[in-house]
Amino acid sequence: MTSFVFVLLILIPVIVAVNYAEKVDKFLRHADLTAGTILKEYYVNFIINIGNMILPLALFVSVLFFTSKLASNTEIIAINNAKISFKRFLYPYFIGATIVTVFSLALNHFIVPRSSKIYNKFDNQYLKNRPKNYDVVNNVNMQLSDNEYIYMRSYHLINNSGTDFCYEVYEGNKLKRKLIADNIRFVKKDSTYRLTKFYDRRIIDDGDDRISFGRRMDTIYNFKPNDLLHVDTFAKEMQTPELLNYIDASEARGRGNLNAYLVELHKRTSLPISSYILTLIAVALGSVKRRGGIGFNLTVGVILMFVYVFLLKIVEVLGAGADASPFIYVWMPNIIFGLVAAYLYFNARK
């Protein structure tokens, strides 16, 4: 665990220094931006995000370094001669991996999303010079309940108004009501929607129609303006209970592709769990004394670490595709490296 903390203390300052070198000119463009604001709102949250991402990888490097040092000092040979099995030898490592995994799970599911919200707000405001939210949502198509649907040509999130609004109610496959309006506006004070120039048609059971129209009507619908916004980056800013509720509500409303949200959800668990797999690989590689010494083991370890990070980025993109299975793609790096870990474990045990 001391080696693990040491690796983090080496990696994080280097990453922060490189990031600062890239961003310093953008910081200086804003006269109102103080050093305290940069540290508090940007770099504190940047360290939380980047630290969380490299926790399993830092654990991997530290375990590999520590175990290789044991092997280099022939301490593992002494342990083996004392008839201590390789399985028993792994116990302390997995206790350490469990500590890191539990801490990483708490970070992923609760702390990092809140931190990402502050970080992204700062990033969009000062570094990218653009608002966090999109101003306009086009071609809105949402299911409010089992038999209620709404459509809008566009909705402006700044002034909370939309154009070409349509509300439909079905009974099975039969249309029972259709309401159209030129404009719709959300009234925050009353949490109601105000329709202008509306036309409301209700179909009665005996086949007759009841039609009403007018210049203005106030009504209530089961959605809020923010529900219309479907931006994948918002998944990173929701704590897991909130993200689960959003996914359930979106599926109930007939929302389209939610794979980006599901990828984020599964990744929050798969990345911490990888600590066990990477620990097993590191122990299996480092426990053998080689002619190349610690340097050879660390070289192999760093190569495997970069391969793992590369796979994580690839599956994150592929898993967000409309026809993909997010669960399978997100867990694929762990499955692949789990097989590698199993192979190394059975060979190292011999």
Side-chain angles (χ1 to χ4, degrees), residues 127 130 209 267 318:
L127 303 184
R130 70 186 184 193
D209 291 354
K267 190 175 70 173
L318 294 177

Side-chain angles (χ1 to χ4, degrees), residues 62-117:
S62 61
V63 169
L64 188 60
F65 172 78
F66 175 79
T67 310
S68 297
K69 192 174 179 181
L70 285 179
S72 179
N73 294 335
T74 65
E75 293 183 58
I76 293 180
I77 294 176
I79 292 172
N80 188 45
N81 289 337
K83 304 300 181 182
I84 294 175
S85 67
F86 189 68
K87 182 179 178 181
R88 174 62 184 84
F89 178 65
L90 287 172
Y91 282 0
Y93 288 100
F94 275 84
I95 292 173
T98 299
I99 295 171
V100 174
T101 299
V102 172
F103 180 65
S104 183
L105 284 170
L107 279 175
N108 271 276
H109 288 282
F110 298 101
I111 299 174
V112 170
R114 184 180 298 174
S115 175
S116 295
K117 186 177 294 187

Side-chain angles (χ1 to χ4, degrees), residues 103-140:
F103 180 65
S104 183
L105 284 170
L107 279 175
N108 271 276
H109 288 282
F110 298 101
I111 299 174
V112 170
R114 184 180 298 174
S115 175
S116 295
K117 186 177 294 187
I118 301 171
Y119 172 81
N120 289 333
K121 181 180 179 181
F122 183 97
D123 189 50
N124 287 318
Q125 183 177 353
Y126 293 106
L127 303 184
K128 295 180 181 177
N129 294 320
R130 70 186 184 193
K132 174 187 167 183
N133 295 340
Y134 294 111
D135 295 340
V136 181
V137 183
N138 294 310
N139 300 318
V140 176

Side-chain angles (χ1 to χ4, degrees), residues 14 33 61 83 137 148 155 189 254 281 311:
V14 171
L33 198 56
V61 172
K83 304 300 181 182
V137 183
E148 294 177 287
Y155 193 89
K189 181 180 178 181
I281 292 175
L311 279 175

Side-chain angles (χ1 to χ4, degrees), residues 9-19:
L9 292 177
I10 289 177
L11 291 178
I12 290 177
V14 171
I15 295 172
V16 170
V18 172
N19 180 270

